[in-house]
Amino acid sequence: MAVKPSKADKKIAYDAKLCQLLDEYTQILIAAADNVGSNQLQNIRKGLRGDSVVLMGKNTMMKRSVRIHAEKTGNQAFLNLIPLLQGNVGLIFTKGDLKEVSEEVAKYKVGAPARVGLVAPIDVVVPPGNTGLDPSQTSFFQVLNIPTKINKGTVEIITPVELIKKGEKVGSSEAALLAKLGIRPFSYGLVVLSVYDNGSVFSPEVLDLTEEDLIEKFATGVSMVTALSLAISYPTLAAAPHMFINAYKNVLSVAVATEYSFPQADKVKEYLADPSKFAVAVAAVATDAGAAPAAAAVAAEEKKPEPEEESDDDMGFSLFD
């Protein structure tokens, strides 16, 4: 007869298992498991089998195991997990791509009915149309102020009605009506709340960032650094080109206003002394701009094949007929 393990033995085994996973994995998804059934959780484990492991447990036990592992190994980075272990959560240890694993977890959502006392995660709207209920069921609709009419012996909802708002608790009348209509408005599954990666903790929204998003954010940061550097006259790599150009403009202004000159300022002074040269320069630019399309048209014309000469046979008769 097998000996049933005691609570102390179970805690020791759980500590050993969690510490082993912390040794093997450096990437962890912290996921909420509210309203997730055992069969659904089993399907998630099967779907992630290969490079990921799902571990559930009491928050106190998980926190205790994390502290034990940090003390034994001296790796204090895992202590960043402790503040995240709040509510009904589980840990998904993975060696795969974090975004792919998160998307795989999101696939395992199942529809659920609206139960009394449950907090609605989304707005619930009852669509218009025939309900298939007989006229004796109109009392449900009257209690909830839903406009209806009798059509061909059945109750028909006239307009869409927001039955439950997000964050509100489901009442008995709402639950009964949705059950009669066969509406399962909610869907539940593991929801990734936070991501742990080699000691860093961040929001799962970071996983949705693309290379274009990163480049855009980097460019925005460079612009801010440049603006700040120019405002306080503090040289940085981003602001250096602008500082050199501004300095050149200042020196050029001094040269134009005084007799002092330097090679780069001579041409500017020449144009200022004879403004007609501006018109010549503009005309030259316009000529170059118009010459380019014309040259392209000539080149395209030259590439056209020459039409073949028609022979006497092609004309349908011979000169010697």
Side-chain angles (χ1 to χ4, degrees):
M1 182 177 178
V3 179
K4 187 177 180 180
S6 63
K7 288 185 177 181
D9 293 335
K10 290 181 180 179
K11 287 183 179 180
I12 293 172
Y14 188 87
D15 289 338
K17 182 176 182 179
L18 183 52
C19 289
Q20 180 184 356
L21 292 173
L22 292 174
D23 287 332
E24 294 180 6
Y25 296 86
T26 58
Q27 299 180 141
I28 306 172
L29 300 177
I30 297 87
D34 293 331
N35 303 297
V36 178
S38 57
N39 290 335
Q40 185 180 357
L41 191 59
Q42 188 65 22
N43 291 333
I44 295 173
R45 284 194 169 102
K46 289 180 180 178
L48 297 177
R49 189 171 296 166
D51 59 359
S52 303
V53 177
V54 180
L55 181 67
M56 306 298 294
K58 293 182 178 179
N59 292 343
T60 52
M61 292 183 64
M62 288 192 284
K63 291 178 181 179
R64 175 175 175 271
S65 299
V66 170
R67 291 191 181 98
I68 291 174
H69 182 270
E71 292 175 1
K72 287 183 178 179
T73 62
N75 186 355
Q76 303 297 315
F78 284 114
L79 295 177
N80 294 330
L81 290 171
I82 292 179
L84 306 177
L85 301 177
Q86 303 289 337
N88 186 18
V89 298
L91 302 177
I92 303 175
F93 297 85
T94 182
K95 293 181 180 178
D97 183 84
L98 288 170
K99 183 178 181 180
E100 293 178 359
V101 174
S102 180
E103 291 174 349
E104 183 68 23
V105 169
K107 292 179 183 178
Y108 293 90
K109 287 189 176 182
V110 297
R115 297 193 296 271
V116 179
L118 191 68
V119 177
I122 58 172
D123 294 332
V124 179
V125 178
V126 179
N130 198 309
T131 63
L133 301 176
D134 59 83
S136 63
Q137 306 291 327
T138 54
S139 59
F140 284 104
F141 301 95
Q142 292 173 355
V143 171
L144 298 170
N145 296 321
I146 298 177
T148 60
K149 66 178 181 179
I150 305 301
N151 185 16
K152 297 181 181 179
T154 58
V155 179
E156 181 178 331
I157 299 175
I158 300 174
T159 58
V161 178
E162 188 178 38
L163 189 63
I164 309 170
K165 292 184 178 180
K166 181 180 178 180
E168 293 181 350
K169 286 188 176 182
V170 180
S172 57
S173 299
E174 291 88 347
L177 177 60
L178 291 172
K180 286 181 178 292
L181 297 177
I183 298 176
R184 298 166 67 89
F186 305 142
S187 60
Y188 297 107
L190 291 182
V191 179
V192 177
L193 301 177
S194 302
V195 180
Y196 173 92
D197 187 6
N198 287 307
S200 300
V201 177
F202 49 88
S203 171
E205 283 78 12
V206 175
L207 301 178
D208 297 328
L209 293 175
T210 62
E211 290 186 5
E212 290 76 13
D213 295 330
L214 295 176
I215 293 173
E216 181 181 354
K217 290 182 180 295
F218 179 77
T220 302
V222 172
S223 299
M224 294 177 65
V225 170
T226 303
L228 179 61
S229 300
L230 293 175
I232 63 176
S233 299
Y234 183 84
T236 61
L237 188 61
H242 301 278
M243 289 183 170
F244 281 117
I245 292 174
N246 291 338
Y248 169 72
K249 290 179 180 179
N250 292 334
V251 174
L252 182 60
S253 300
V254 173
V256 170
T258 63
E259 297 299 325
Y260 174 79
S261 185
F262 55 94
Q264 289 79 4
D266 290 339
K267 192 168 185 178
V268 175
K269 286 188 173 184
E270 182 182 343
Y271 273 74
L272 292 176
D274 185 7
S276 62
K277 291 187 177 182
F278 283 106
V280 175
V282 172
V285 172
T287 302
D288 293 341
V298 172
E301 188 68 25
E302 291 177 351
K303 289 182 179 180
K304 286 185 178 180
E306 295 182 0
E308 296 182 359
E309 295 182 357
E310 292 183 345
S311 64
D312 293 340
D313 294 337
D314 294 336
M315 297 174 65
F317 65 89
S318 173
L319 296 174
F320 301 99
D321 287 345

